Amino acid sequence: MDAAGVDHRWTAFHRQGPYALLAVGALLAVATADVVGMTRAERYASGALTVAGLVLQVWWGRLMRGRTPEPSAGATFYYVTRWATGFALTWLNPFFAFYAVVGYFGAERLLPRRLVKPGLFATAVTMAGSQSGGLPPHGWRGWLLFGALFGVNSALFTVFSNLAAREEERVRAQADSIAELERANTALQQALDENAALHTQLLVQAREAGVADERRRLAAEIHDTIAQGLTGIIAQLQVVANAPDLTVARTHLERASDLARDSLGEARRSVHNLAPVALASDGLTEALKKTVADWAERTSVRTEFTVTGVTEQLHEEVSATLLRIAQEALSNASRHARASRVGVTLSFMGDEVTLDVRDDGRGFDSLALPARTDRGGFGLDGMRARAERIAGSLTVETEPGHGTAVSARVPLVRHDR
């Protein structure tokens, strides 16, 4: 049986036990009245005390209805009055000891700590008197027997009270442990709730960061494809506007038309997977070779493309990143550098791939770059962000009048087969 069941039974005993024991004592007293030599007056007195004990118990039961007994003035009055009633009844007939024995039970629930032992001693006096043949003892032998029985009762209640105290201490420690576990469980639940809220917040932040990063990537993709294509178209149309004859105009119109088709293809491809059109059917090496050749034809700038090392089939994200960096570097060379010669080198070096774009243009002061405007491109910041997105890096070497060298180094991640 668990602790709750034991407590429930003890509560039932403290509530109903005194009634039952008083009834047993009264029945035995009636049956043995002649045996113990009770007089008529003693019989009437025992009857009156029995009724008084019953009234006392009814009063106490109503007072404690729905409450748990605890040491108080009312509880002390109840215990002392009950003991006095039991003592008087036992004086009249020893068999009323069945009722007086309730003084051993619940003393710690009813009396202040300092009165618990005196109350138990008083109950031991009543029980010893009953067991020795009734109070008062007769002769020195009766007193000797009373003293011996009193000593036995005192020893017994001392032992049992110590055991009860230890049990109470154990129950209290168990209750404290349960309360501590409940507090720990509450704290753990709060921590779990906080962690769940934090996890949700982190998911939201990660989602927002992913959305922002995707927006930046899309903006860079649009800049590197459609925007550059439109820039090339504008440049070709400007040449057409100033063309000296129809043949030159037609040549540049064809180039503008080709650029428009490429830009349209890039726009359609962006809707699908944002992979460069040049990489749809070719690897990075062929895509770079065509990109460099097309750029050289449009700008009439002498351009060389070189591949070193053992060519590898790269992961599509690595290929797209290097191709976009090359396109941006070439676009910068045509718009700003006024170069007469450009060299593009793709190097496969063990676990790295390096892309170098060099020109002999006018260069610039890297410490005095103009602020980016709404009409400007992504430039060096965009290229650097692309390289860093795949754990790479980008360096720029330049100075006014001595050209520019852009170098991107990224991990060599092979294509998933």
Side-chain angles (χ1 to χ4, degrees):
M1 184 180 297
D2 58 10
V6 173
D7 290 341
H8 177 73
R9 292 200 174 187
W10 271 115
T11 300
F13 172 79
H14 288 303
R15 184 183 302 113
Q16 305 296 334
Y19 289 108
L21 293 174
L22 180 60
V24 171
L27 290 175
L28 291 175
V30 171
T32 61
D34 293 333
V35 177
V36 299
M38 292 181 67
T39 65
R40 182 180 297 273
E42 289 175 340
R43 293 184 185 189
Y44 284 129
S46 63
L49 288 172
T50 300
V51 173
L54 180 62
V55 172
L56 175 68
Q57 198 60 40
V58 171
W59 167 79
W60 179 250
R62 291 183 176 179
L63 183 64
M64 288 292 105
R65 183 174 299 171
R67 298 167 55 188
T68 301
E70 58 184 14
S72 63
T76 302
F77 170 79
Y78 165 69
Y79 184 91
V80 172
T81 304
R82 190 181 65 182
W83 171 84
T85 303
F87 179 83
L89 287 170
T90 305
W91 187 285
L92 296 173
N93 189 314
F95 285 95
F96 274 110
F98 281 93
Y99 172 64
V101 76
V102 296
Y104 280 145
F105 303 100
E108 71 283 350
R109 294 160 55 99
L110 301 172
L111 299 175
R113 185 177 297 273
R114 68 179 185 279
L115 296 180
V116 171
K117 286 190 175 181
L120 294 175
F121 272 107
T123 302
V125 169
T126 303
M127 299 304 298
S130 168
Q131 293 163 359
S132 63
L135 293 173
H138 301 287
W140 65 270
R141 291 180 180 175
W143 281 103
L144 182 62
L145 180 60
F146 170 79
L149 291 171
F150 176 73
V152 171
N153 278 275
S154 299
L156 287 175
F157 89 71
T158 300
V159 171
F160 285 116
S161 63
N162 288 337
L163 291 176
R166 292 182 181 179
E167 180 65 15
E168 182 181 2
E169 183 178 355
R170 186 189 67 81
V171 171
R172 188 182 298 110
Q174 186 178 20
D176 292 340
S177 298
I178 293 174
E180 183 64 27
L181 286 175
E182 290 178 349
R183 289 192 294 269
N185 286 335
T186 301
L188 178 60
Q189 186 60 46
Q190 291 176 350
L192 290 175
D193 293 341
E194 291 175 358
N195 285 340
L198 180 59
H199 180 67
T200 302
Q201 182 180 358
L202 289 176
L203 286 178
V204 172
Q205 292 177 350
R207 188 179 298 110
E208 292 176 350
V211 170
D213 185 67
E214 185 65 13
R215 286 175 177 173
R216 287 191 296 269
R217 192 170 73 90
L218 287 172
E221 292 288 342
I222 292 172
H223 167 264
D224 291 342
T225 57
I226 300 175
Q228 289 188 16
L230 292 175
T231 301
I233 293 171
I234 292 171
Q236 296 300 321
L237 293 177
Q238 287 176 344
V239 174
V240 170
N242 300 318
D245 54 56
L246 185 59
T247 302
V248 175
R250 184 178 292 109
T251 300
H252 288 282
L253 282 174
E254 290 176 355
R255 292 178 181 177
S257 178
D258 292 338
L259 285 173
R261 292 190 187 94
D262 291 341
S263 297
L264 179 60
E266 289 286 355
R268 289 173 175 172
R269 188 270 316 154
S270 297
V271 176
H272 291 86
N273 57 12
L274 294 178
V277 171
L279 294 173
S281 57
D282 299 320
L284 176 62
T285 302
E286 290 300 319
L288 277 175
K289 183 177 180 181
K290 291 180 180 179
T291 298
V292 171
D294 291 343
W295 180 86
E297 185 179 359
R298 291 197 309 269
T299 60
S300 301
V301 175
R302 181 183 175 186
T303 308
E304 295 180 1
F305 175 65
T306 307
V307 179
T308 64
V310 179
T311 303
E312 298 272 3
Q313 190 69 16
L314 300 177
H315 188 278
E316 58 185 17
E317 186 68 20
V318 176
S319 297
T321 298
L322 291 177
L323 180 59
R324 294 307 189 205
I325 290 174
Q327 289 173 338
E328 177 66 18
L330 291 173
S331 176
N332 289 342
S334 64
R335 286 185 296 172
H336 308 298
R338 296 181 183 175
S340 61
R341 184 175 181 181
V342 173
V344 178
T345 303
L346 180 64
S347 302
F348 294 87
M349 301 183 297
D351 57 353
E352 280 188 339
V353 183
T354 302
L355 173 68
D356 296 298
V357 181
R358 305 171 306 281
D359 66 64
D360 61 354
R362 60 182 181 176
F364 59 91
D365 184 357
S366 60
L367 299 179
L369 286 175
R372 178 185 168 194
T373 63
D374 293 338
R375 300 182 62 184
F378 282 78
L380 297 177
D381 290 339
M383 288 189 286
R384 184 172 289 107
R386 286 182 180 278
E388 291 175 352
R389 189 179 298 124
I390 59 171
S393 62
L394 184 133
T395 58
V396 178
E397 296 180 1
T398 183
E399 61 178 284
H402 292 83
T404 301
V406 176
S407 178
R409 302 173 67 91
V410 300
L412 194 156
V413 181
R414 293 173 177 83
H415 175 66
D416 294 332
R417 298 184 184 277

